[in-house]
PDB file of all heavy atoms in Angstrom:
ATOM      1  N   TYR Z  35     -74.544  66.267 -43.216  1.00 96.00           N
ATOM      2  CA  TYR Z  35     -74.473  65.000 -43.915  1.00 96.00           C
ATOM      3  C   TYR Z  35     -75.835  64.315 -43.872  1.00 96.00           C
ATOM      4  O   TYR Z  35     -76.649  64.529 -42.975  1.00 96.00           O
ATOM      5  CB  TYR Z  35     -73.463  64.064 -43.240  1.00 96.00           C
ATOM      6  CG  TYR Z  35     -72.019  64.455 -43.380  1.00 96.00           C
ATOM      7  CD1 TYR Z  35     -71.441  65.373 -42.501  1.00 96.00           C
ATOM      8  CD2 TYR Z  35     -71.217  63.889 -44.359  1.00 96.00           C
ATOM      9  CE1 TYR Z  35     -70.107  65.718 -42.604  1.00 96.00           C
ATOM     10  CE2 TYR Z  35     -69.875  64.229 -44.473  1.00 96.00           C
ATOM     11  CZ  TYR Z  35     -69.332  65.142 -43.590  1.00 96.00           C
ATOM     12  OH  TYR Z  35     -68.003  65.478 -43.703  1.00 96.00           O
ATOM     13  N   GLN Z  37     -77.312  60.257 -44.074  1.00 93.00           N
ATOM     14  CA  GLN Z  37     -76.989  58.832 -44.076  1.00 93.00           C
ATOM     15  C   GLN Z  37     -78.277  58.065 -44.309  1.00 93.00           C
ATOM     16  O   GLN Z  37     -79.105  57.921 -43.407  1.00 93.00           O
ATOM     17  CB  GLN Z  37     -76.318  58.409 -42.774  1.00 93.00           C
ATOM     18  CG  GLN Z  37     -75.825  56.970 -42.799  1.00 93.00           C
ATOM     19  CD  GLN Z  37     -75.124  56.575 -41.503  1.00 93.00           C
ATOM     20  OE1 GLN Z  37     -75.454  57.061 -40.434  1.00 93.00           O
ATOM     21  NE2 GLN Z  37     -74.153  55.679 -41.603  1.00 93.00           N
ATOM     22  N   GLN Z  41     -76.442  52.821 -45.564  1.00 87.00           N
ATOM     23  CA  GLN Z  41     -75.414  53.462 -46.382  1.00 87.00           C
ATOM     24  C   GLN Z  41     -74.423  54.240 -45.512  1.00 87.00           C
ATOM     25  O   GLN Z  41     -74.654  54.452 -44.321  1.00 87.00           O
ATOM     26  CB  GLN Z  41     -76.052  54.411 -47.392  1.00 87.00           C
ATOM     27  CG  GLN Z  41     -77.036  53.753 -48.336  1.00 87.00           C
ATOM     28  CD  GLN Z  41     -76.393  52.713 -49.211  1.00 87.00           C
ATOM     29  OE1 GLN Z  41     -75.325  52.956 -49.797  1.00 87.00           O
ATOM     30  NE2 GLN Z  41     -76.998  51.541 -49.292  1.00 87.00           N
ATOM     31  N   SER Z  42     -73.349  54.665 -46.145  1.00 87.00           N
ATOM     32  CA  SER Z  42     -72.409  55.522 -45.440  1.00 87.00           C
ATOM     33  C   SER Z  42     -72.858  56.982 -45.552  1.00 87.00           C
ATOM     34  O   SER Z  42     -73.948  57.270 -46.038  1.00 87.00           O
ATOM     35  CB  SER Z  42     -71.010  55.335 -46.016  1.00 87.00           C
ATOM     36  OG  SER Z  42     -70.058  55.950 -45.182  1.00 87.00           O
ATOM     37  N   LEU Z  43     -72.038  57.868 -45.095  1.00 91.00           N
ATOM     38  CA  LEU Z  43     -72.413  59.277 -45.050  1.00 91.00           C
ATOM     39  C   LEU Z  43     -72.193  59.962 -46.394  1.00 91.00           C
ATOM     40  O   LEU Z  43     -71.199  59.712 -47.071  1.00 91.00           O
ATOM     41  CB  LEU Z  43     -71.588  60.009 -43.993  1.00 91.00           C
ATOM     42  CG  LEU Z  43     -72.040  59.862 -42.556  1.00 91.00           C
ATOM     43  CD1 LEU Z  43     -71.751  58.485 -42.016  1.00 91.00           C
ATOM     44  CD2 LEU Z  43     -71.375  60.919 -41.683  1.00 91.00           C
ATOM     45  N   LEU Z  45     -72.081  63.911 -47.941  1.00 93.00           N
ATOM     46  CA  LEU Z  45     -72.037  65.329 -47.590  1.00 93.00           C
ATOM     47  C   LEU Z  45     -73.097  66.092 -48.365  1.00 93.00           C
ATOM     48  O   LEU Z  45     -73.171  65.976 -49.599  1.00 93.00           O
ATOM     49  CB  LEU Z  45     -70.648  65.900 -47.884  1.00 93.00           C
ATOM     50  CG  LEU Z  45     -70.431  67.377 -47.579  1.00 93.00           C
ATOM     51  CD1 LEU Z  45     -70.555  67.640 -46.083  1.00 93.00           C
ATOM     52  CD2 LEU Z  45     -69.066  67.837 -48.095  1.00 93.00           C
ATOM     53  N   GLU Z  58     -73.062  70.189 -52.293  1.00 93.00           N
ATOM     54  CA  GLU Z  58     -72.466  69.139 -53.104  1.00 93.00           C
ATOM     55  C   GLU Z  58     -73.385  68.801 -54.268  1.00 93.00           C
ATOM     56  O   GLU Z  58     -74.582  69.119 -54.262  1.00 93.00           O
ATOM     57  CB  GLU Z  58     -72.193  67.906 -52.257  1.00 93.00           C
ATOM     58  CG  GLU Z  58     -71.196  68.140 -51.141  1.00 93.00           C
ATOM     59  CD  GLU Z  58     -69.834  68.568 -51.645  1.00 93.00           C
ATOM     60  OE1 GLU Z  58     -69.231  67.807 -52.445  1.00 93.00           O
ATOM     61  OE2 GLU Z  58     -69.363  69.646 -51.241  1.00 93.00           O
ATOM     62  N   ILE Z  90     -80.834  59.512 -41.570  1.00 95.00           N
ATOM     63  CA  ILE Z  90     -80.242  60.193 -40.420  1.00 95.00           C
ATOM     64  C   ILE Z  90     -79.498  61.411 -40.961  1.00 95.00           C
ATOM     65  O   ILE Z  90     -78.715  61.298 -41.900  1.00 95.00           O
ATOM     66  CB  ILE Z  90     -79.281  59.274 -39.649  1.00 95.00           C
ATOM     67  CG1 ILE Z  90     -80.025  58.060 -39.101  1.00 95.00           C
ATOM     68  CG2 ILE Z  90     -78.609  60.046 -38.506  1.00 95.00           C
ATOM     69  CD1 ILE Z  90     -79.122  57.029 -38.453  1.00 95.00           C
ATOM     70  N   LEU Z  92     -76.865  64.402 -40.028  1.00 96.00           N
ATOM     71  CA  LEU Z  92     -75.813  64.668 -39.047  1.00 96.00           C
ATOM     72  C   LEU Z  92     -75.112  65.975 -39.348  1.00 96.00           C
ATOM     73  O   LEU Z  92     -74.838  66.281 -40.512  1.00 96.00           O
ATOM     74  CB  LEU Z  92     -74.760  63.557 -39.048  1.00 96.00           C
ATOM     75  CG  LEU Z  92     -75.273  62.153 -38.720  1.00 96.00           C
ATOM     76  CD1 LEU Z  92     -75.025  61.213 -39.864  1.00 96.00           C
ATOM     77  CD2 LEU Z  92     -74.604  61.640 -37.469  1.00 96.00           C
ATOM     78  N   SER Z  98     -58.797  72.029 -36.376  1.00 63.00           N
ATOM     79  CA  SER Z  98     -57.501  71.888 -37.055  1.00 63.00           C
ATOM     80  C   SER Z  98     -57.649  72.005 -38.556  1.00 63.00           C
ATOM     81  O   SER Z  98     -57.230  71.124 -39.316  1.00 63.00           O
ATOM     82  CB  SER Z  98     -56.875  70.521 -36.698  1.00 63.00           C
ATOM     83  OG  SER Z  98     -56.714  70.380 -35.318  1.00 63.00           O
ATOM     84  N   ALA Z 100     -59.609  71.759 -41.929  1.00 60.00           N
ATOM     85  CA  ALA Z 100     -60.714  70.910 -42.368  1.00 60.00           C
ATOM     86  C   ALA Z 100     -60.434  69.441 -42.128  1.00 60.00           C
ATOM     87  O   ALA Z 100     -61.214  68.596 -42.523  1.00 60.00           O
ATOM     88  CB  ALA Z 100     -60.967  71.138 -43.850  1.00 60.00           C
ATOM     89  N   TYR Z 101     -59.364  69.113 -41.445  1.00 75.00           N
ATOM     90  CA  TYR Z 101     -58.859  67.739 -41.459  1.00 75.00           C
ATOM     91  C   TYR Z 101     -59.084  66.955 -40.184  1.00 75.00           C
ATOM     92  O   TYR Z 101     -58.374  66.009 -39.892  1.00 75.00           O
ATOM     93  CB  TYR Z 101     -57.377  67.748 -41.844  1.00 75.00           C
ATOM     94  CG  TYR Z 101     -57.140  68.468 -43.151  1.00 75.00           C
ATOM     95  CD1 TYR Z 101     -56.297  69.557 -43.214  1.00 75.00           C
ATOM     96  CD2 TYR Z 101     -57.800  68.077 -44.309  1.00 75.00           C
ATOM     97  CE1 TYR Z 101     -56.092  70.233 -44.404  1.00 75.00           C
ATOM     98  CE2 TYR Z 101     -57.614  68.752 -45.499  1.00 75.00           C
ATOM     99  CZ  TYR Z 101     -56.751  69.822 -45.541  1.00 75.00           C
ATOM    100  OH  TYR Z 101     -56.557  70.489 -46.715  1.00 75.00           O
ATOM    101  N   GLU Z 102     -60.091  67.356 -39.433  1.00 82.00           N
ATOM    102  CA  GLU Z 102     -60.483  66.600 -38.247  1.00 82.00           C
ATOM    103  C   GLU Z 102     -61.909  67.006 -37.923  1.00 82.00           C
ATOM    104  O   GLU Z 102     -62.171  68.177 -37.655  1.00 82.00           O
ATOM    105  CB  GLU Z 102     -59.552  66.920 -37.077  1.00 82.00           C
ATOM    106  CG  GLU Z 102     -59.861  66.153 -35.810  1.00 82.00           C
ATOM    107  CD  GLU Z 102     -58.856  66.446 -34.707  1.00 82.00           C
ATOM    108  OE1 GLU Z 102     -57.964  67.290 -34.912  1.00 82.00           O
ATOM    109  OE2 GLU Z 102     -58.981  65.839 -33.627  1.00 82.00           O
ATOM    110  N   GLN Z 103     -62.826  66.070 -37.962  1.00 88.00           N
ATOM    111  CA  GLN Z 103     -64.236  66.407 -37.764  1.00 88.00           C
ATOM    112  C   GLN Z 103     -64.813  65.661 -36.579  1.00 88.00           C
ATOM    113  O   GLN Z 103     -64.415  64.535 -36.271  1.00 88.00           O
ATOM    114  CB  GLN Z 103     -65.046  66.068 -39.021  1.00 88.00           C
ATOM    115  CG  GLN Z 103     -64.725  66.965 -40.201  1.00 88.00           C
ATOM    116  CD  GLN Z 103     -65.678  66.795 -41.354  1.00 88.00           C
ATOM    117  OE1 GLN Z 103     -66.822  66.376 -41.196  1.00 88.00           O
ATOM    118  NE2 GLN Z 103     -65.204  67.139 -42.545  1.00 88.00           N
ATOM    119  N   TYR Z 104     -65.802  66.315 -35.973  1.00 91.00           N
ATOM    120  CA  TYR Z 104     -66.537  65.729 -34.862  1.00 91.00           C
ATOM    121  C   TYR Z 104     -68.022  65.891 -35.156  1.00 91.00           C
ATOM    122  O   TYR Z 104     -68.451  66.917 -35.676  1.00 91.00           O
ATOM    123  CB  TYR Z 104     -66.144  66.401 -33.540  1.00 91.00           C
ATOM    124  CG  TYR Z 104     -64.709  66.099 -33.196  1.00 91.00           C
ATOM    125  CD1 TYR Z 104     -63.696  66.946 -33.627  1.00 91.00           C
ATOM    126  CD2 TYR Z 104     -64.368  64.936 -32.513  1.00 91.00           C
ATOM    127  CE1 TYR Z 104     -62.371  66.652 -33.354  1.00 91.00           C
ATOM    128  CE2 TYR Z 104     -63.046  64.636 -32.245  1.00 91.00           C
ATOM    129  CZ  TYR Z 104     -62.052  65.494 -32.675  1.00 91.00           C
ATOM    130  OH  TYR Z 104     -60.735  65.185 -32.415  1.00 91.00           O
ATOM    131  N   PHE Z 105     -68.781  64.847 -34.799  1.00 93.00           N
ATOM    132  CA  PHE Z 105     -70.163  64.755 -35.231  1.00 93.00           C
ATOM    133  C   PHE Z 105     -71.140  64.904 -34.080  1.00 93.00           C
ATOM    134  O   PHE Z 105     -70.850  64.513 -32.942  1.00 93.00           O
ATOM    135  CB  PHE Z 105     -70.400  63.401 -35.914  1.00 93.00           C
ATOM    136  CG  PHE Z 105     -69.831  63.336 -37.298  1.00 93.00           C
ATOM    137  CD1 PHE Z 105     -68.474  63.134 -37.494  1.00 93.00           C
ATOM    138  CD2 PHE Z 105     -70.646  63.499 -38.402  1.00 93.00           C
ATOM    139  CE1 PHE Z 105     -67.941  63.090 -38.767  1.00 93.00           C
ATOM    140  CE2 PHE Z 105     -70.135  63.454 -39.681  1.00 93.00           C
ATOM    141  CZ  PHE Z 105     -68.782  63.244 -39.870  1.00 93.00           C
ATOM    142  N   GLY Z 106     -72.304  65.422 -34.430  1.00 93.00           N
ATOM    143  CA  GLY Z 106     -73.417  65.439 -33.507  1.00 93.00           C
ATOM    144  C   GLY Z 106     -74.071  64.073 -33.439  1.00 93.00           C
ATOM    145  O   GLY Z 106     -73.718  63.162 -34.181  1.00 93.00           O
ATOM    146  N   PRO Z 107     -75.073  63.942 -32.556  1.00 94.00           N
ATOM    147  CA  PRO Z 107     -75.725  62.638 -32.352  1.00 94.00           C
ATOM    148  C   PRO Z 107     -76.686  62.253 -33.460  1.00 94.00           C
ATOM    149  O   PRO Z 107     -77.170  61.133 -33.489  1.00 94.00           O
ATOM    150  CB  PRO Z 107     -76.468  62.830 -31.032  1.00 94.00           C
ATOM    151  CG  PRO Z 107     -76.719  64.295 -30.967  1.00 94.00           C
ATOM    152  CD  PRO Z 107     -75.544  64.946 -31.619  1.00 94.00           C
ATOM    153  N   GLY Z 108     -76.974  63.175 -34.377  1.00 95.00           N
ATOM    154  CA  GLY Z 108     -77.838  62.840 -35.500  1.00 95.00           C
ATOM    155  C   GLY Z 108     -79.312  63.093 -35.232  1.00 95.00           C
ATOM    156  O   GLY Z 108     -79.764  63.129 -34.076  1.00 95.00           O
ATOM    157  N   ARG Z 110     -82.853  61.475 -36.611  1.00 95.00           N
ATOM    158  CA  ARG Z 110     -83.433  60.360 -37.386  1.00 95.00           C
ATOM    159  C   ARG Z 110     -84.788  60.784 -37.908  1.00 95.00           C
ATOM    160  O   ARG Z 110     -85.729  60.976 -37.134  1.00 95.00           O
ATOM    161  CB  ARG Z 110     -83.538  59.122 -36.515  1.00 95.00           C
ATOM    162  CG  ARG Z 110     -83.869  57.885 -37.282  1.00 95.00           C
ATOM    163  CD  ARG Z 110     -83.641  56.655 -36.429  1.00 95.00           C
ATOM    164  NE  ARG Z 110     -83.625  55.447 -37.240  1.00 95.00           N
ATOM    165  CZ  ARG Z 110     -83.265  54.249 -36.784  1.00 95.00           C
ATOM    166  NH1 ARG Z 110     -82.907  54.109 -35.538  1.00 95.00           N
ATOM    167  NH2 ARG Z 110     -83.284  53.213 -37.584  1.00 95.00           N
TER     168      ARG Z 110
ATOM    169  N   TYR Y  31     -54.408  63.580 -46.278  1.00 81.00           N
ATOM    170  CA  TYR Y  31     -53.889  64.277 -45.125  1.00 81.00           C
ATOM    171  C   TYR Y  31     -54.100  63.415 -43.903  1.00 81.00           C
ATOM    172  O   TYR Y  31     -53.284  62.576 -43.564  1.00 81.00           O
ATOM    173  CB  TYR Y  31     -54.515  65.660 -45.004  1.00 81.00           C
ATOM    174  CG  TYR Y  31     -53.947  66.643 -45.992  1.00 81.00           C
ATOM    175  CD1 TYR Y  31     -54.703  67.696 -46.496  1.00 81.00           C
ATOM    176  CD2 TYR Y  31     -52.641  66.532 -46.430  1.00 81.00           C
ATOM    177  CE1 TYR Y  31     -54.169  68.592 -47.396  1.00 81.00           C
ATOM    178  CE2 TYR Y  31     -52.095  67.419 -47.340  1.00 81.00           C
ATOM    179  CZ  TYR Y  31     -52.871  68.461 -47.810  1.00 81.00           C
ATOM    180  OH  TYR Y  31     -52.337  69.349 -48.706  1.00 81.00           O
ATOM    181  N   ASN Y  32     -55.224  63.576 -43.237  1.00 88.00           N
ATOM    182  CA  ASN Y  32     -55.457  62.798 -42.031  1.00 88.00           C
ATOM    183  C   ASN Y  32     -56.378  61.617 -42.308  1.00 88.00           C
ATOM    184  O   ASN Y  32     -57.091  61.585 -43.308  1.00 88.00           O
ATOM    185  CB  ASN Y  32     -56.108  63.677 -40.952  1.00 88.00           C
ATOM    186  CG  ASN Y  32     -55.214  64.807 -40.522  1.00 88.00           C
ATOM    187  OD1 ASN Y  32     -54.034  64.846 -40.841  1.00 88.00           O
ATOM    188  ND2 ASN Y  32     -55.792  65.748 -39.777  1.00 88.00           N
ATOM    189  N   GLN Y  34     -59.227  59.254 -40.037  1.00 93.00           N
ATOM    190  CA  GLN Y  34     -59.956  59.228 -38.771  1.00 93.00           C
ATOM    191  C   GLN Y  34     -60.826  57.982 -38.715  1.00 93.00           C
ATOM    192  O   GLN Y  34     -61.497  57.629 -39.698  1.00 93.00           O
ATOM    193  CB  GLN Y  34     -60.814  60.500 -38.648  1.00 93.00           C
ATOM    194  CG  GLN Y  34     -61.298  60.825 -37.258  1.00 93.00           C
ATOM    195  CD  GLN Y  34     -61.819  62.274 -37.141  1.00 93.00           C
ATOM    196  OE1 GLN Y  34     -61.813  63.029 -38.108  1.00 93.00           O
ATOM    197  NE2 GLN Y  34     -62.255  62.659 -35.952  1.00 93.00           N
ATOM    198  N   PHE Y  36     -64.061  56.173 -36.784  1.00 96.00           N
ATOM    199  CA  PHE Y  36     -65.258  56.508 -36.029  1.00 96.00           C
ATOM    200  C   PHE Y  36     -65.987  55.242 -35.628  1.00 96.00           C
ATOM    201  O   PHE Y  36     -65.884  54.199 -36.279  1.00 96.00           O
ATOM    202  CB  PHE Y  36     -66.228  57.346 -36.878  1.00 96.00           C
ATOM    203  CG  PHE Y  36     -65.716  58.696 -37.288  1.00 96.00           C
ATOM    204  CD1 PHE Y  36     -65.041  58.859 -38.479  1.00 96.00           C
ATOM    205  CD2 PHE Y  36     -65.943  59.806 -36.491  1.00 96.00           C
ATOM    206  CE1 PHE Y  36     -64.574  60.102 -38.878  1.00 96.00           C
ATOM    207  CE2 PHE Y  36     -65.492  61.057 -36.878  1.00 96.00           C
ATOM    208  CZ  PHE Y  36     -64.803  61.205 -38.072  1.00 96.00           C
ATOM    209  N   GLN Y  38     -70.056  54.050 -34.814  1.00 94.00           N
ATOM    210  CA  GLN Y  38     -71.447  54.469 -34.903  1.00 94.00           C
ATOM    211  C   GLN Y  38     -72.337  53.373 -34.343  1.00 94.00           C
ATOM    212  O   GLN Y  38     -72.324  52.245 -34.839  1.00 94.00           O
ATOM    213  CB  GLN Y  38     -71.851  54.785 -36.356  1.00 94.00           C
ATOM    214  CG  GLN Y  38     -73.257  55.349 -36.473  1.00 94.00           C
ATOM    215  CD  GLN Y  38     -73.619  55.753 -37.877  1.00 94.00           C
ATOM    216  OE1 GLN Y  38     -73.148  55.173 -38.850  1.00 94.00           O
ATOM    217  NE2 GLN Y  38     -74.477  56.770 -38.002  1.00 94.00           N
ATOM    218  N   GLY Y  41     -78.556  53.879 -35.457  1.00 84.00           N
ATOM    219  CA  GLY Y  41     -79.428  55.047 -35.420  1.00 84.00           C
ATOM    220  C   GLY Y  41     -78.832  56.266 -34.749  1.00 84.00           C
ATOM    221  O   GLY Y  41     -79.558  57.244 -34.503  1.00 84.00           O
ATOM    222  N   LYS Y  42     -77.538  56.234 -34.491  1.00 86.00           N
ATOM    223  CA  LYS Y  42     -76.889  57.322 -33.761  1.00 86.00           C
ATOM    224  C   LYS Y  42     -75.861  58.038 -34.629  1.00 86.00           C
ATOM    225  O   LYS Y  42     -75.613  57.672 -35.775  1.00 86.00           O
ATOM    226  CB  LYS Y  42     -76.205  56.770 -32.505  1.00 86.00           C
ATOM    227  CG  LYS Y  42     -77.128  56.006 -31.574  1.00 86.00           C
ATOM    228  CD  LYS Y  42     -78.191  56.911 -30.978  1.00 86.00           C
ATOM    229  CE  LYS Y  42     -79.028  56.149 -29.957  1.00 86.00           C
ATOM    230  NZ  LYS Y  42     -80.092  57.009 -29.360  1.00 86.00           N
ATOM    231  N   GLY Y  43     -75.257  59.072 -34.026  1.00 89.00           N
ATOM    232  CA  GLY Y  43     -74.199  59.803 -34.718  1.00 89.00           C
ATOM    233  C   GLY Y  43     -72.873  59.066 -34.639  1.00 89.00           C
ATOM    234  O   GLY Y  43     -72.787  57.932 -34.178  1.00 89.00           O
ATOM    235  N   LEU Y  44     -71.830  59.747 -35.101  1.00 92.00           N
ATOM    236  CA  LEU Y  44     -70.497  59.157 -35.123  1.00 92.00           C
ATOM    237  C   LEU Y  44     -69.686  59.640 -33.926  1.00 92.00           C
ATOM    238  O   LEU Y  44     -69.705  60.830 -33.604  1.00 92.00           O
ATOM    239  CB  LEU Y  44     -69.764  59.553 -36.405  1.00 92.00           C
ATOM    240  CG  LEU Y  44     -70.011  58.719 -37.655  1.00 92.00           C
ATOM    241  CD1 LEU Y  44     -71.444  58.795 -38.100  1.00 92.00           C
ATOM    242  CD2 LEU Y  44     -69.064  59.128 -38.752  1.00 92.00           C
ATOM    243  N   SER Y  46     -65.854  59.933 -32.643  1.00 93.00           N
ATOM    244  CA  SER Y  46     -64.467  59.854 -33.086  1.00 93.00           C
ATOM    245  C   SER Y  46     -63.666  58.964 -32.139  1.00 93.00           C
ATOM    246  O   SER Y  46     -63.729  59.119 -30.919  1.00 93.00           O
ATOM    247  CB  SER Y  46     -63.848  61.247 -33.131  1.00 93.00           C
ATOM    248  OG  SER Y  46     -62.494  61.180 -33.524  1.00 93.00           O
ATOM    249  N   LEU Y  49     -57.599  59.757 -34.497  1.00 92.00           N
ATOM    250  CA  LEU Y  49     -57.200  60.551 -35.651  1.00 92.00           C
ATOM    251  C   LEU Y  49     -55.716  60.341 -35.874  1.00 92.00           C
ATOM    252  O   LEU Y  49     -54.921  60.521 -34.942  1.00 92.00           O
ATOM    253  CB  LEU Y  49     -57.479  62.030 -35.419  1.00 92.00           C
ATOM    254  CG  LEU Y  49     -56.958  62.977 -36.499  1.00 92.00           C
ATOM    255  CD1 LEU Y  49     -57.876  62.945 -37.711  1.00 92.00           C
ATOM    256  CD2 LEU Y  49     -56.833  64.396 -35.964  1.00 92.00           C
ATOM    257  N   TYR Y  93     -59.128  62.338 -45.239  1.00 86.00           N
ATOM    258  CA  TYR Y  93     -59.235  63.721 -45.659  1.00 86.00           C
ATOM    259  C   TYR Y  93     -58.333  63.940 -46.860  1.00 86.00           C
ATOM    260  O   TYR Y  93     -57.120  63.709 -46.787  1.00 86.00           O
ATOM    261  CB  TYR Y  93     -58.830  64.669 -44.526  1.00 86.00           C
ATOM    262  CG  TYR Y  93     -59.752  64.588 -43.345  1.00 86.00           C
ATOM    263  CD1 TYR Y  93     -59.581  63.608 -42.374  1.00 86.00           C
ATOM    264  CD2 TYR Y  93     -60.821  65.485 -43.195  1.00 86.00           C
ATOM    265  CE1 TYR Y  93     -60.433  63.531 -41.291  1.00 86.00           C
ATOM    266  CE2 TYR Y  93     -61.666  65.412 -42.112  1.00 86.00           C
ATOM    267  CZ  TYR Y  93     -61.463  64.424 -41.165  1.00 86.00           C
ATOM    268  OH  TYR Y  93     -62.308  64.349 -40.088  1.00 86.00           O
ATOM    269  N   HIS Y  94     -58.952  64.364 -47.950  1.00 79.00           N
ATOM    270  CA  HIS Y  94     -58.195  64.593 -49.168  1.00 79.00           C
ATOM    271  C   HIS Y  94     -57.735  66.040 -49.223  1.00 79.00           C
ATOM    272  O   HIS Y  94     -58.290  66.906 -48.548  1.00 79.00           O
ATOM    273  CB  HIS Y  94     -59.071  64.253 -50.377  1.00 79.00           C
ATOM    274  CG  HIS Y  94     -58.325  64.111 -51.658  1.00 79.00           C
ATOM    275  ND1 HIS Y  94     -58.242  65.141 -52.563  1.00 79.00           N
ATOM    276  CD2 HIS Y  94     -57.618  63.092 -52.164  1.00 79.00           C
ATOM    277  CE1 HIS Y  94     -57.522  64.746 -53.601  1.00 79.00           C
ATOM    278  NE2 HIS Y  94     -57.126  63.517 -53.379  1.00 79.00           N
ATOM    279  N   ARG Y  95     -56.772  66.297 -50.051  1.00 72.00           N
ATOM    280  CA  ARG Y  95     -56.174  67.623 -50.130  1.00 72.00           C
ATOM    281  C   ARG Y  95     -57.145  68.676 -50.630  1.00 72.00           C
ATOM    282  O   ARG Y  95     -56.906  69.859 -50.444  1.00 72.00           O
ATOM    283  CB  ARG Y  95     -54.942  67.605 -51.023  1.00 72.00           C
ATOM    284  CG  ARG Y  95     -55.226  67.144 -52.435  1.00 72.00           C
ATOM    285  CD  ARG Y  95     -53.965  66.951 -53.216  1.00 72.00           C
ATOM    286  NE  ARG Y  95     -54.224  66.261 -54.479  1.00 72.00           N
ATOM    287  CZ  ARG Y  95     -53.294  65.665 -55.184  1.00 72.00           C
ATOM    288  NH1 ARG Y  95     -52.052  65.662 -54.761  1.00 72.00           N
ATOM    289  NH2 ARG Y  95     -53.593  65.049 -56.306  1.00 72.00           N
ATOM    290  N   ASP Y  97     -59.950  69.234 -49.427  1.00 67.00           N
ATOM    291  CA  ASP Y  97     -60.822  69.472 -48.277  1.00 67.00           C
ATOM    292  C   ASP Y  97     -61.996  68.516 -48.198  1.00 67.00           C
ATOM    293  O   ASP Y  97     -62.902  68.717 -47.404  1.00 67.00           O
ATOM    294  CB  ASP Y  97     -61.348  70.913 -48.242  1.00 67.00           C
ATOM    295  CG  ASP Y  97     -60.224  71.907 -48.006  1.00 67.00           C
ATOM    296  OD1 ASP Y  97     -59.121  71.473 -47.634  1.00 67.00           O
ATOM    297  OD2 ASP Y  97     -60.450  73.111 -48.203  1.00 67.00           O
ATOM    298  N   LYS Y  98     -62.019  67.487 -49.014  1.00 76.00           N
ATOM    299  CA  LYS Y  98     -63.115  66.527 -48.942  1.00 76.00           C
ATOM    300  C   LYS Y  98     -62.768  65.428 -47.965  1.00 76.00           C
ATOM    301  O   LYS Y  98     -61.616  65.019 -47.828  1.00 76.00           O
ATOM    302  CB  LYS Y  98     -63.362  65.895 -50.320  1.00 76.00           C
ATOM    303  CG  LYS Y  98     -63.730  66.885 -51.396  1.00 76.00           C
ATOM    304  CD  LYS Y  98     -65.018  67.610 -51.097  1.00 76.00           C
ATOM    305  CE  LYS Y  98     -65.394  68.507 -52.270  1.00 76.00           C
ATOM    306  NZ  LYS Y  98     -66.569  69.341 -51.964  1.00 76.00           N
ATOM    307  N   ILE Y  99     -63.785  64.938 -47.283  1.00 85.00           N
ATOM    308  CA  ILE Y  99     -63.631  63.760 -46.433  1.00 85.00           C
ATOM    309  C   ILE Y  99     -64.358  62.616 -47.111  1.00 85.00           C
ATOM    310  O   ILE Y  99     -65.503  62.760 -47.538  1.00 85.00           O
ATOM    311  CB  ILE Y  99     -64.150  64.015 -45.006  1.00 85.00           C
ATOM    312  CG1 ILE Y  99     -63.978  62.773 -44.137  1.00 85.00           C
ATOM    313  CG2 ILE Y  99     -65.580  64.497 -44.984  1.00 85.00           C
ATOM    314  CD1 ILE Y  99     -64.299  62.990 -42.668  1.00 85.00           C
ATOM    315  N   PHE Y 101     -65.667  58.742 -46.769  1.00 91.00           N
ATOM    316  CA  PHE Y 101     -65.984  57.693 -45.805  1.00 91.00           C
ATOM    317  C   PHE Y 101     -66.015  56.326 -46.464  1.00 91.00           C
ATOM    318  O   PHE Y 101     -66.455  56.180 -47.610  1.00 91.00           O
ATOM    319  CB  PHE Y 101     -67.360  57.946 -45.186  1.00 91.00           C
ATOM    320  CG  PHE Y 101     -67.359  59.000 -44.126  1.00 91.00           C
ATOM    321  CD1 PHE Y 101     -67.577  60.332 -44.458  1.00 91.00           C
ATOM    322  CD2 PHE Y 101     -67.149  58.683 -42.802  1.00 91.00           C
ATOM    323  CE1 PHE Y 101     -67.578  61.317 -43.488  1.00 91.00           C
ATOM    324  CE2 PHE Y 101     -67.146  59.658 -41.820  1.00 91.00           C
ATOM    325  CZ  PHE Y 101     -67.364  60.973 -42.171  1.00 91.00           C
ATOM    326  N   GLY Y 102     -65.583  55.315 -45.709  1.00 92.00           N
ATOM    327  CA  GLY Y 102     -65.868  53.950 -46.081  1.00 92.00           C
ATOM    328  C   GLY Y 102     -67.289  53.587 -45.690  1.00 92.00           C
ATOM    329  O   GLY Y 102     -67.975  54.357 -45.009  1.00 92.00           O
TER     330      GLY Y 102
END
Side-chain angles (χ1 to χ4, degrees):
Chain Z
Y35 290 85
Q37 186 178 31
Q41 301 297 313
S42 192
L43 280 72
L45 180 65
E58 297 299 302
I90 299 174
L92 300 119
S98 302
Y101 305 122
E102 181 177 3
Q103 291 190 25
Y104 294 91
F105 284 78
R110 191 167 195 170
Chain Y
Y31 284 150
N32 297 348
Q34 197 165 0
F36 296 91
Q38 185 176 31
K42 304 295 185 181
L44 275 63
S46 178
L49 173 78
Y93 296 84
H94 195 262
R95 59 188 169 198
D97 294 347
K98 300 298 185 186
I99 180 173
F101 282 90

